[in-house]
Amino acid sequence: GKWQFQESEAYLRQLGALDESSPGSPRVIIPNWVQGRSNCVGSSEFHDVCCVSECGQRLAMLERRLAMPAATPEAVEAALPGVGIDAVLRNRLRAIAKAHGGRVP
């Protein structure tokens, strides 16, 4: 199935969460979207009440180590030493890669 985002393309673009590198097939850059104001539980003109992403540090580490927009499931796993990747996650990475030409975006 497809995920339906409530945010407009203009908002996602301004947020830096819209990947338009493939004409006719825009994609949402999830880490950028997660940090958007639309995911905050409350806001005013003075402040936002947002949840800190518990995965932010791991994702940042993964992005630094891979230094590419997509990688094989094996490369993703190799870039996360010490992180317990179980069979369920390994199979999920493979399924995502299969749907995206052999690479995990």
Side-chain angles (χ1 to χ4, degrees), residues 69-89:
T72 65
E74 295 79 17
V76 171
E77 188 170 353
L80 294 170
V83 175
I85 295 185
D86 62 12
V88 173
L89 180 54

Side-chain angles (χ1 to χ4, degrees), residues 7-20 26-29 32:
E7 297 82 2
S8 69
E9 284 188 26
Y11 171 78
L12 293 172
R13 190 175 295 115
Q14 179 207 12
L15 188 61
L18 188 62
D19 175 2
E20 298 177 282
R27 296 178 185 201
V28 174
I29 302 168
N32 295 2

